[in-house]
Amino acid sequence: MRTDKPAGPVADRPSPRRGASREETFRLARRTFADGDRVELVELAKQANVNRATVQRWFGSRANLLTEIVWSLAEPTLEHCYRAADGTGGSRIAEALSDFVRQTLTDTGMRAFLNRENETALRILTRRDHSFQPRLIAAVENLLEREHNAGTLEQDIPLHDLAYLCVRVGESFVYTDTITGEPADPDRAERAFHYLLARH
């Protein structure tokens, strides 16, 4: 997952003389997550020099904050994977999604989150009552639309349906250990993406 690197160890910390802004507090939370540490509202409020009520007013529940953190990391990562992918059409999308799965599985923050809070992670990342999955589907659909508009992707089924299938395939291999007890395997995900998108 991609995140901006701070200029130094104190770059994401507010001055001790004042409370952090909402943006600074979010960066603190994201840095904590990216480092593989658990994000807690009480501890975040202490680090930001604000009270917990303020943090809750800004971000709502812990689950909502985690959703925003993961999306802020996932969105630029997916875009980077697409821009770096070779080929055109379905092949390019398959390459991009395969790279995205690999980066998700090797990212320090995501790996720690999935290992330490597996049920919470699955609920936040895969259920439609949280906003992460719908946003990821929309982002994949946008990539499909780019290839379709370029004339390199045939539209056999609605692109939204194809994007949904792509996301579900990715989820099934990222969370394999929870679903079937088998270890996550990005190579299997890559084969599945190419199979799914071979006709497109």
Side-chain angles (χ1 to χ4, degrees):
M1 296 285 185
R2 297 176 68 84
T3 183
D4 296 332
K5 296 294 184 182
V10 298
D12 285 337
R13 298 176 187 170
S15 165
R17 295 185 300 275
R18 64 173 179 81
S21 66
R22 185 185 187 281
E23 181 179 344
E24 289 170 332
T25 302
F26 181 78
R27 288 202 302 268
L28 275 169
R30 188 169 69 171
R31 175 57 56 194
T32 299
F33 182 93
D35 287 344
D37 297 325
R38 185 181 174 98
V39 176
E40 293 288 356
L41 298 187
V42 172
E43 183 60 28
L44 179 62
K46 290 179 181 178
Q47 293 175 350
N49 297 324
V50 297
N51 60 55
R52 180 175 176 173
T54 298
V55 173
Q56 289 180 313
R57 174 168 54 81
W58 282 341
F59 305 112
S61 67
R62 178 174 183 266
N64 288 341
L65 176 57
L66 287 169
T67 300
E68 295 306 315
I69 290 171
V70 176
W71 179 246
S72 75
L73 299 172
E75 184 180 26
T77 299
L78 179 61
E79 179 64 25
H80 173 77
C81 291
Y82 174 73
R83 291 183 180 276
D86 295 326
T88 60
S91 176
R92 182 179 186 182
I93 301 298
E95 287 293 326
L97 294 177
S98 299
D99 191 17
F100 181 72
V101 166
R102 284 191 173 87
Q103 293 199 38
T104 298
L105 290 172
T106 57
D107 178 77
T108 298
M110 283 299 297
R111 189 170 64 247
F113 184 42
L114 290 169
N115 290 338
R116 183 180 56 238
E117 302 184 66
N118 190 262
E119 290 187 9
T120 298
L122 287 178
R123 184 171 66 252
I124 288 173
L125 301 175
T126 66
R127 284 178 48 170
R128 295 189 65 83
D129 53 345
H130 290 280
S131 64
F132 180 83
Q133 189 193 71
R135 281 191 273 187
L136 183 58
I137 293 171
V140 173
E141 184 177 357
N142 177 264
L143 300 185
L144 293 167
E145 287 176 348
R146 294 190 212 177
E147 293 299 313
H148 175 69
N149 292 338
T152 57
L153 185 75
E154 296 181 8
Q155 190 174 3
D156 296 336
I157 64 174
L159 294 182
H160 178 79
D161 294 347
L162 184 57
Y164 172 80
L165 288 172
C166 288
V167 169
R168 295 299 286 173
V169 166
E171 289 174 348
S172 68
F173 288 102
V174 170
Y175 314 123
T176 305
D177 56 341
T178 300
I179 298 171
T180 67
E182 301 175 65
D185 187 345
D187 292 336
R188 292 174 64 192
E190 182 174 12
R191 290 192 293 271
F193 284 132
H194 279 285
Y195 180 82
L196 175 63
L197 294 164
R199 300 177 184 177
H200 300 278

